[in-house]
Amino acid sequence: MSLPVLEDENDPRDWEIRAWVTLVRVYGRVERRLAKALGAYGLSVAQFDVLATLLHGEGITQQELSERLLVTKGNVVGLVDRVSAAGWIERRPDPDDRRVNRLYLTDAGRALLRKALPGQHASLKSALRPLLEAELKQIHTLLKRVDDALPDTE
Amino acid sequence: MSLPVLEDENDPRDWEIRAWVTLVRVYGRVERRLAKALGAYGLSVAQFDVLATLLHGEGITQQELSERLLVTKGNVVGLVDRVSAAGWIERRPDPDDRRVNRLYLTDAGRALLRKALPGQHASLKSALRPLLEAELKQIHTLLKRVDDALPDTE
DNA sequence: TATTGTTATACTCTATAACTATA
DNA sequence: TATAGTTATAGAGTATAACAATA
């Protein structure tokens, strides 16, 4: 989870650290809630991410999926194995390049998403309820700036 | 990691989702950098968290550690096993309650922190460099509000 | 030669739940 | 009865690296 949590007003640590500690804490706690809700559908967070990524871009390759999910292509193999074994996605060989698999949602996968997505959205809205829309935008804008500035040495 | 990343301006998703997706992405990428730096010292992020938590509160119990790290006490056992096997912390029986272990850094653990902490801080500062201090405070304030509002049903 | 995907290895973290010893 | 810690189980994710097929 990273870095200790303590919140006294005289905390001498830099604001980078305080912001990061809080972010990590929120990430962990919210992620856990989302994961628990997904568990009811037999989905892990990583597996849900696969489905949700495909929802917005069917036909991507495993390579592309690994870039979106920020995991190695080796790990994507196992992930895709598990999700396709469950019948939610399928690999289809690319007709033009026989090295490539392209990934598609099955009807079952689409149906599962239709069931699982509303709950995820609701959990998220509930967790972030203390923030006004302008504040959500603010967080998005600031963190997007950080994301864009991170070199993609990964 | 949770929820797909795509950034087009007409993205119809709610700001909760956009903020969350960005937060998750930043979390993942920065965490990975921090983890890589810790790897040079033979530390995982969770293990570093143990050491850093003890630095700010030596003598806590395993139970207390599990609450700070947001993991179950069962998992803390293994975590403490590994970190103490490496010689960085030690369990000392509580003299007043024989059920309790209290945790302390060893000299080696303190020395390791002295080596590892500056790099962690530097990585963090580097990653968050695009943000002004006021913006870091803003993120801290907003996310703290979210954290405080989350019910601790975990 | 470079790329896509696969396989193999080994470790860490996680959740869950039953168990013990103490209180 | 309740609490602190332990053990056991099983699954999931991760990194790393070598490999096959294809380009």
Side-chain angles (χ1 to χ4, degrees):
Chain A
M1 215 77 111
S2 194
L3 293 170
V5 177
L6 81 173
E7 277 306 333
D8 63 271
E9 279 319 305
N10 297 321
D11 188 341
R13 291 175 299 169
D14 299 318
W15 284 101
E16 283 88 358
I17 299 180
R18 302 189 66 171
W20 180 248
V21 166
T22 314
L23 186 150
V24 167
R25 190 167 168 88
V26 167
Y27 170 82
R29 297 183 73 193
V30 174
E31 187 82 345
R32 207 160 309 228
R33 285 158 174 274
L34 296 176
K36 188 156 284 183
L38 290 176
Y41 301 104
L43 278 170
S44 71
V45 172
Q47 292 170 8
F48 175 78
D49 289 346
V50 171
L51 298 182
T53 301
L54 289 185
L55 186 64
H56 292 279
E58 266 189 283
I60 63 175
T61 67
Q62 293 189 192
Q63 185 69 40
E64 287 163 344
L65 182 60
S66 92
E67 289 156 14
R68 305 246 184 127
L69 300 185
L70 304 173
V71 294
T72 65
K73 60 187 179 161
N75 292 327
V76 159
V77 174
L79 200 46
V80 168
D81 282 350
R82 286 186 287 274
V83 180
S84 61
W88 294 319
I89 67 173
E90 59 184 19
R91 291 174 164 104
R92 296 187 203 155
D94 184 308
D96 298 328
D97 184 341
R98 286 162 60 196
R99 295 171 303 180
V100 171
N101 289 330
R102 297 197 170 272
L103 303 174
Y104 294 86
L105 288 168
T106 62
D107 289 342
R110 238 179 295 273
L112 180 65
L113 272 177
R114 267 198 300 276
K115 282 194 303 178
L117 269 172
Q120 291 286 295
H121 290 181
S123 296
L124 201 50
K125 287 203 170 205
S126 160
L128 301 182
R129 183 159 31 211
L131 301 181
L132 303 172
E133 179 169 308
E135 293 169 331
L136 290 168
K137 284 188 193 177
Q138 176 85 344
I139 288 180
H140 172 264
T141 302
L142 297 178
L143 293 181
K144 182 77 169 50
R145 200 196 300 159
V146 171
D147 185 34
D148 289 341
L150 282 173
D152 39 82
T153 321
E154 339 200 43
Chain B
M1 215 78 110
S2 196
L3 292 171
V5 177
L6 80 172
E7 278 306 333
D8 63 269
E9 279 320 305
N10 297 321
D11 188 341
R13 291 175 299 169
D14 300 319
W15 284 101
E16 284 88 358
I17 299 181
R18 303 188 66 170
W20 180 248
V21 165
T22 314
L23 186 150
V24 167
R25 190 168 169 86
V26 167
Y27 169 83
R29 297 183 73 194
V30 173
E31 187 82 344
R32 206 159 310 229
R33 287 158 172 274
L34 296 176
K36 188 157 286 183
L38 289 176
Y41 301 103
L43 277 170
S44 71
V45 171
Q47 291 170 8
F48 174 79
D49 288 346
V50 171
L51 298 182
T53 301
L54 289 186
L55 186 64
H56 291 280
E58 267 190 282
I60 63 175
T61 66
Q62 293 188 193
Q63 184 70 40
E64 286 163 345
L65 182 60
S66 94
E67 289 156 13
R68 304 244 184 127
L69 299 185
L70 303 173
V71 294
T72 64
K73 60 186 179 163
N75 291 327
V76 159
V77 173
L79 200 46
V80 168
D81 281 350
R82 286 185 288 275
V83 180
S84 61
W88 294 319
I89 67 173
E90 58 183 20
R91 293 175 163 106
R92 296 187 203 156
D94 183 308
D96 298 328
D97 184 340
R98 286 161 59 195
R99 295 171 303 180
V100 171
N101 289 330
R102 298 197 170 273
L103 303 173
Y104 294 87
L105 289 168
T106 62
D107 289 341
R110 239 179 295 272
L112 180 66
L113 272 178
R114 266 198 301 277
K115 283 194 303 178
L117 268 172
Q120 291 287 293
H121 291 181
S123 296
L124 201 50
K125 287 203 170 203
S126 160
L128 301 183
R129 184 160 29 211
L131 301 181
L132 304 171
E133 178 168 309
E135 293 169 331
L136 290 167
K137 284 188 192 176
Q138 176 85 345
I139 287 180
H140 173 265
T141 302
L142 296 178
L143 293 181
K144 182 78 168 50
R145 199 196 300 159
V146 172
D147 185 34
D148 289 341
L150 282 173
D152 40 82
T153 320
E154 338 200 41

